[in-house]
PDB file of all heavy atoms in Angstrom:
ATOM      1  N   THR A 383     -77.919-121.077 103.671  1.00 88.00           N
ATOM      2  CA  THR A 383     -78.796-120.111 104.361  1.00 88.00           C
ATOM      3  C   THR A 383     -79.205-120.814 105.689  1.00 88.00           C
ATOM      4  O   THR A 383     -79.175-121.988 105.815  1.00 88.00           O
ATOM      5  CB  THR A 383     -80.065-119.810 103.565  1.00 88.00           C
ATOM      6  OG1 THR A 383     -80.911-120.965 103.490  1.00 88.00           O
ATOM      7  CG2 THR A 383     -79.773-119.361 102.188  1.00 88.00           C
ATOM      8  N   ALA A 384     -79.787-119.927 106.575  1.00 84.00           N
ATOM      9  CA  ALA A 384     -80.231-120.464 107.868  1.00 84.00           C
ATOM     10  C   ALA A 384     -81.502-121.237 107.680  1.00 84.00           C
ATOM     11  O   ALA A 384     -81.843-122.077 108.554  1.00 84.00           O
ATOM     12  CB  ALA A 384     -80.458-119.223 108.799  1.00 84.00           C
ATOM     13  N   MET A 385     -82.248-121.074 106.612  1.00 86.00           N
ATOM     14  CA  MET A 385     -83.514-121.817 106.441  1.00 86.00           C
ATOM     15  C   MET A 385     -83.334-123.164 105.784  1.00 86.00           C
ATOM     16  O   MET A 385     -84.294-123.892 105.719  1.00 86.00           O
ATOM     17  CB  MET A 385     -84.427-120.981 105.533  1.00 86.00           C
ATOM     18  CG  MET A 385     -84.943-119.657 106.167  1.00 86.00           C
ATOM     19  SD  MET A 385     -84.560-118.285 105.104  1.00 86.00           S
ATOM     20  CE  MET A 385     -85.113-118.789 103.512  1.00 86.00           C
ATOM     21  N   THR A 386     -82.171-123.437 105.303  1.00 89.00           N
ATOM     22  CA  THR A 386     -82.003-124.685 104.501  1.00 89.00           C
ATOM     23  C   THR A 386     -80.851-125.582 105.051  1.00 89.00           C
ATOM     24  O   THR A 386     -79.952-124.991 105.728  1.00 89.00           O
ATOM     25  CB  THR A 386     -81.661-124.363 103.078  1.00 89.00           C
ATOM     26  OG1 THR A 386     -80.680-123.448 102.972  1.00 89.00           O
ATOM     27  CG2 THR A 386     -82.901-123.918 102.278  1.00 89.00           C
ATOM     28  N   ASN A 387     -81.016-126.821 104.806  1.00 94.00           N
ATOM     29  CA  ASN A 387     -79.994-127.717 105.235  1.00 94.00           C
ATOM     30  C   ASN A 387     -79.196-128.228 104.014  1.00 94.00           C
ATOM     31  O   ASN A 387     -79.728-128.840 103.152  1.00 94.00           O
ATOM     32  CB  ASN A 387     -80.669-128.961 105.923  1.00 94.00           C
ATOM     33  CG  ASN A 387     -79.673-130.007 106.374  1.00 94.00           C
ATOM     34  OD1 ASN A 387     -78.635-130.175 105.770  1.00 94.00           O
ATOM     35  ND2 ASN A 387     -80.059-130.758 107.370  1.00 94.00           N
ATOM     36  N   PRO A 388     -77.873-127.819 103.937  1.00 95.00           N
ATOM     37  CA  PRO A 388     -77.107-128.199 102.778  1.00 95.00           C
ATOM     38  C   PRO A 388     -77.192-129.699 102.314  1.00 95.00           C
ATOM     39  O   PRO A 388     -77.297-129.961 101.147  1.00 95.00           O
ATOM     40  CB  PRO A 388     -75.648-127.818 103.125  1.00 95.00           C
ATOM     41  CG  PRO A 388     -75.797-126.819 104.204  1.00 95.00           C
ATOM     42  CD  PRO A 388     -77.043-127.204 104.936  1.00 95.00           C
ATOM     43  N   MET A 389     -77.218-130.590 103.304  1.00 97.00           N
ATOM     44  CA  MET A 389     -77.239-132.026 102.935  1.00 97.00           C
ATOM     45  C   MET A 389     -78.560-132.339 102.236  1.00 97.00           C
ATOM     46  O   MET A 389     -78.651-133.095 101.260  1.00 97.00           O
ATOM     47  CB  MET A 389     -77.054-132.878 104.210  1.00 97.00           C
ATOM     48  CG  MET A 389     -76.890-134.415 103.925  1.00 97.00           C
ATOM     49  SD  MET A 389     -75.524-134.769 102.856  1.00 97.00           S
ATOM     50  CE  MET A 389     -74.191-134.830 104.016  1.00 97.00           C
ATOM     51  N   GLU A 390     -79.664-131.736 102.734  1.00 96.00           N
ATOM     52  CA  GLU A 390     -80.951-132.034 102.176  1.00 96.00           C
ATOM     53  C   GLU A 390     -81.028-131.448 100.708  1.00 96.00           C
ATOM     54  O   GLU A 390     -81.612-132.054  99.828  1.00 96.00           O
ATOM     55  CB  GLU A 390     -82.105-131.374 103.009  1.00 96.00           C
ATOM     56  CG  GLU A 390     -82.250-132.259 104.312  1.00 96.00           C
ATOM     57  CD  GLU A 390     -83.326-131.596 105.232  1.00 96.00           C
ATOM     58  OE1 GLU A 390     -83.976-130.684 104.751  1.00 96.00           O
ATOM     59  OE2 GLU A 390     -83.393-132.040 106.349  1.00 96.00           O
ATOM     60  N   ILE A 391     -80.419-130.269 100.581  1.00 96.00           N
ATOM     61  CA  ILE A 391     -80.424-129.673  99.168  1.00 96.00           C
ATOM     62  C   ILE A 391     -79.609-130.619  98.249  1.00 96.00           C
ATOM     63  O   ILE A 391     -80.009-130.938  97.147  1.00 96.00           O
ATOM     64  CB  ILE A 391     -79.765-128.316  99.185  1.00 96.00           C
ATOM     65  CG1 ILE A 391     -80.533-127.258 100.081  1.00 96.00           C
ATOM     66  CG2 ILE A 391     -79.573-127.729  97.729  1.00 96.00           C
ATOM     67  CD1 ILE A 391     -81.853-126.739  99.502  1.00 96.00           C
ATOM     68  N   ALA A 392     -78.409-131.103  98.753  1.00 97.00           N
ATOM     69  CA  ALA A 392     -77.708-132.014  97.971  1.00 97.00           C
ATOM     70  C   ALA A 392     -78.489-133.307  97.558  1.00 97.00           C
ATOM     71  O   ALA A 392     -78.459-133.704  96.395  1.00 97.00           O
ATOM     72  CB  ALA A 392     -76.423-132.416  98.733  1.00 97.00           C
ATOM     73  N   GLN A 393     -79.168-133.776  98.596  1.00 97.00           N
ATOM     74  CA  GLN A 393     -79.954-134.998  98.336  1.00 97.00           C
ATOM     75  C   GLN A 393     -81.090-134.717  97.305  1.00 97.00           C
ATOM     76  O   GLN A 393     -81.432-135.610  96.430  1.00 97.00           O
ATOM     77  CB  GLN A 393     -80.482-135.572  99.612  1.00 97.00           C
ATOM     78  CG  GLN A 393     -79.401-136.222 100.404  1.00 97.00           C
ATOM     79  CD  GLN A 393     -79.665-136.524 101.860  1.00 97.00           C
ATOM     80  OE1 GLN A 393     -80.697-135.966 102.409  1.00 97.00           O
ATOM     81  NE2 GLN A 393     -78.813-137.216 102.547  1.00 97.00           N
ATOM     82  N   SER A 394     -81.691-133.529  97.399  1.00 97.00           N
ATOM     83  CA  SER A 394     -82.766-133.131  96.461  1.00 97.00           C
ATOM     84  C   SER A 394     -82.173-133.126  95.057  1.00 97.00           C
ATOM     85  O   SER A 394     -82.746-133.529  94.011  1.00 97.00           O
ATOM     86  CB  SER A 394     -83.330-131.775  96.775  1.00 97.00           C
ATOM     87  OG  SER A 394     -83.842-131.729  98.032  1.00 97.00           O
ATOM     88  N   ILE A 395     -80.986-132.574  94.893  1.00 97.00           N
ATOM     89  CA  ILE A 395     -80.330-132.385  93.532  1.00 97.00           C
ATOM     90  C   ILE A 395     -80.086-133.792  92.975  1.00 97.00           C
ATOM     91  O   ILE A 395     -80.412-134.111  91.877  1.00 97.00           O
ATOM     92  CB  ILE A 395     -79.030-131.593  93.634  1.00 97.00           C
ATOM     93  CG1 ILE A 395     -79.324-130.151  94.026  1.00 97.00           C
ATOM     94  CG2 ILE A 395     -78.253-131.688  92.300  1.00 97.00           C
ATOM     95  CD1 ILE A 395     -78.096-129.297  94.336  1.00 97.00           C
ATOM     96  N   LYS A 396     -79.531-134.702  93.884  1.00 97.00           N
ATOM     97  CA  LYS A 396     -79.223-136.030  93.399  1.00 97.00           C
ATOM     98  C   LYS A 396     -80.486-136.799  92.961  1.00 97.00           C
ATOM     99  O   LYS A 396     -80.579-137.509  91.996  1.00 97.00           O
ATOM    100  CB  LYS A 396     -78.490-136.750  94.500  1.00 97.00           C
ATOM    101  CG  LYS A 396     -78.360-138.290  94.386  1.00 97.00           C
ATOM    102  CD  LYS A 396     -77.300-138.674  93.291  1.00 97.00           C
ATOM    103  CE  LYS A 396     -77.223-140.193  93.220  1.00 97.00           C
ATOM    104  NZ  LYS A 396     -76.972-140.731  91.916  1.00 97.00           N
ATOM    105  N   LYS A 397     -81.544-136.659  93.816  1.00 97.00           N
ATOM    106  CA  LYS A 397     -82.806-137.336  93.489  1.00 97.00           C
ATOM    107  C   LYS A 397     -83.350-136.807  92.208  1.00 97.00           C
ATOM    108  O   LYS A 397     -83.872-137.600  91.374  1.00 97.00           O
ATOM    109  CB  LYS A 397     -83.752-136.984  94.692  1.00 97.00           C
ATOM    110  CG  LYS A 397     -85.106-137.805  94.690  1.00 97.00           C
ATOM    111  CD  LYS A 397     -85.719-137.791  96.043  1.00 97.00           C
ATOM    112  CE  LYS A 397     -87.118-138.363  96.022  1.00 97.00           C
ATOM    113  NZ  LYS A 397     -88.161-137.360  96.057  1.00 97.00           N
ATOM    114  N   ALA A 398     -83.297-135.491  91.966  1.00 97.00           N
ATOM    115  CA  ALA A 398     -83.794-134.900  90.753  1.00 97.00           C
ATOM    116  C   ALA A 398     -83.080-135.451  89.589  1.00 97.00           C
ATOM    117  O   ALA A 398     -83.701-135.800  88.532  1.00 97.00           O
ATOM    118  CB  ALA A 398     -83.722-133.351  90.798  1.00 97.00           C
ATOM    119  N   VAL A 399     -81.748-135.565  89.673  1.00 96.00           N
ATOM    120  CA  VAL A 399     -80.920-136.124  88.568  1.00 96.00           C
ATOM    121  C   VAL A 399     -81.386-137.627  88.286  1.00 96.00           C
ATOM    122  O   VAL A 399     -81.556-137.957  87.146  1.00 96.00           O
ATOM    123  CB  VAL A 399     -79.456-135.966  88.952  1.00 96.00           C
ATOM    124  CG1 VAL A 399     -78.598-136.781  87.975  1.00 96.00           C
ATOM    125  CG2 VAL A 399     -79.001-134.556  88.868  1.00 96.00           C
ATOM    126  N   ASP A 400     -81.462-138.364  89.357  1.00 96.00           N
ATOM    127  CA  ASP A 400     -81.802-139.792  89.174  1.00 96.00           C
ATOM    128  C   ASP A 400     -83.170-139.887  88.539  1.00 96.00           C
ATOM    129  O   ASP A 400     -83.406-140.664  87.596  1.00 96.00           O
ATOM    130  CB  ASP A 400     -81.809-140.473  90.509  1.00 96.00           C
ATOM    131  CG  ASP A 400     -80.390-140.666  91.035  1.00 96.00           C
ATOM    132  OD1 ASP A 400     -79.425-140.373  90.199  1.00 96.00           O
ATOM    133  OD2 ASP A 400     -80.234-141.018  92.196  1.00 96.00           O
ATOM    134  N   GLU A 401     -84.129-139.103  89.041  1.00 95.00           N
ATOM    135  CA  GLU A 401     -85.521-139.264  88.601  1.00 95.00           C
ATOM    136  C   GLU A 401     -85.703-138.677  87.187  1.00 95.00           C
ATOM    137  O   GLU A 401     -86.687-138.971  86.476  1.00 95.00           O
ATOM    138  CB  GLU A 401     -86.560-138.628  89.527  1.00 95.00           C
ATOM    139  CG  GLU A 401     -86.632-139.435  90.828  1.00 95.00           C
ATOM    140  CD  GLU A 401     -87.758-138.985  91.738  1.00 95.00           C
ATOM    141  OE1 GLU A 401     -88.665-138.206  91.286  1.00 95.00           O
ATOM    142  OE2 GLU A 401     -87.704-139.394  92.891  1.00 95.00           O
ATOM    143  N   SER A 402     -84.865-137.797  86.707  1.00 93.00           N
ATOM    144  CA  SER A 402     -84.933-137.244  85.387  1.00 93.00           C
ATOM    145  C   SER A 402     -84.714-138.341  84.330  1.00 93.00           C
ATOM    146  O   SER A 402     -85.120-138.220  83.177  1.00 93.00           O
ATOM    147  CB  SER A 402     -83.973-136.161  85.123  1.00 93.00           C
ATOM    148  OG  SER A 402     -82.630-136.713  85.102  1.00 93.00           O
ATOM    149  N   GLY A 403     -84.058-139.405  84.690  1.00 92.00           N
ATOM    150  CA  GLY A 403     -83.776-140.506  83.797  1.00 92.00           C
ATOM    151  C   GLY A 403     -82.627-140.143  82.784  1.00 92.00           C
ATOM    152  O   GLY A 403     -82.333-140.911  81.842  1.00 92.00           O
ATOM    153  N   ILE A 404     -82.035-139.002  82.912  1.00 93.00           N
ATOM    154  CA  ILE A 404     -81.001-138.498  81.953  1.00 93.00           C
ATOM    155  C   ILE A 404     -79.628-139.036  82.453  1.00 93.00           C
ATOM    156  O   ILE A 404     -79.291-138.869  83.537  1.00 93.00           O
ATOM    157  CB  ILE A 404     -80.988-136.948  81.865  1.00 93.00           C
ATOM    158  CG1 ILE A 404     -82.386-136.407  81.446  1.00 93.00           C
ATOM    159  CG2 ILE A 404     -79.855-136.413  81.007  1.00 93.00           C
ATOM    160  CD1 ILE A 404     -82.763-136.733  80.058  1.00 93.00           C
ATOM    161  N   THR A 405     -78.879-139.564  81.451  1.00 93.00           N
ATOM    162  CA  THR A 405     -77.514-139.984  81.814  1.00 93.00           C
ATOM    163  C   THR A 405     -76.445-139.494  80.816  1.00 93.00           C
ATOM    164  O   THR A 405     -75.281-139.664  80.974  1.00 93.00           O
ATOM    165  CB  THR A 405     -77.441-141.503  81.802  1.00 93.00           C
ATOM    166  OG1 THR A 405     -77.919-141.973  80.519  1.00 93.00           O
ATOM    167  CG2 THR A 405     -78.239-142.210  82.928  1.00 93.00           C
ATOM    168  N   ASP A 406     -76.954-138.731  79.758  1.00 95.00           N
ATOM    169  CA  ASP A 406     -75.937-138.393  78.723  1.00 95.00           C
ATOM    170  C   ASP A 406     -75.641-136.853  78.772  1.00 95.00           C
ATOM    171  O   ASP A 406     -75.255-136.284  77.763  1.00 95.00           O
ATOM    172  CB  ASP A 406     -76.578-138.828  77.390  1.00 95.00           C
ATOM    173  CG  ASP A 406     -77.858-138.029  77.046  1.00 95.00           C
ATOM    174  OD1 ASP A 406     -78.383-137.430  77.998  1.00 95.00           O
ATOM    175  OD2 ASP A 406     -78.320-138.155  75.904  1.00 95.00           O
ATOM    176  N   LYS A 407     -75.869-136.186  79.896  1.00 97.00           N
ATOM    177  CA  LYS A 407     -75.412-134.822  79.962  1.00 97.00           C
ATOM    178  C   LYS A 407     -74.759-134.504  81.272  1.00 97.00           C
ATOM    179  O   LYS A 407     -75.101-135.164  82.315  1.00 97.00           O
ATOM    180  CB  LYS A 407     -76.477-133.787  79.638  1.00 97.00           C
ATOM    181  CG  LYS A 407     -77.935-134.021  79.893  1.00 97.00           C
ATOM    182  CD  LYS A 407     -78.745-132.816  79.662  1.00 97.00           C
ATOM    183  CE  LYS A 407     -79.860-133.190  78.658  1.00 97.00           C
ATOM    184  NZ  LYS A 407     -81.015-132.207  78.714  1.00 97.00           N
ATOM    185  N   PRO A 408     -73.842-133.572  81.295  1.00 98.00           N
ATOM    186  CA  PRO A 408     -73.145-133.324  82.551  1.00 98.00           C
ATOM    187  C   PRO A 408     -73.804-132.317  83.467  1.00 98.00           C
ATOM    188  O   PRO A 408     -74.643-131.498  83.043  1.00 98.00           O
ATOM    189  CB  PRO A 408     -71.836-132.673  82.062  1.00 98.00           C
ATOM    190  CG  PRO A 408     -72.159-131.966  80.772  1.00 98.00           C
ATOM    191  CD  PRO A 408     -73.312-132.821  80.194  1.00 98.00           C
TER     192      PRO A 408
END
Side-chain angles (χ1 to χ4, degrees):
T383 69
M385 291 123 51
T386 48
N387 177 333
M389 187 59 84
E390 287 175 11
I391 298 285
Q393 286 162 349
S394 302
I395 294 169
K396 167 73 178 148
K397 189 163 171 255
V399 167
D400 288 348
E401 289 189 15
S402 71
I404 300 293
T405 54
D406 61 350
K407 28 175 126 159

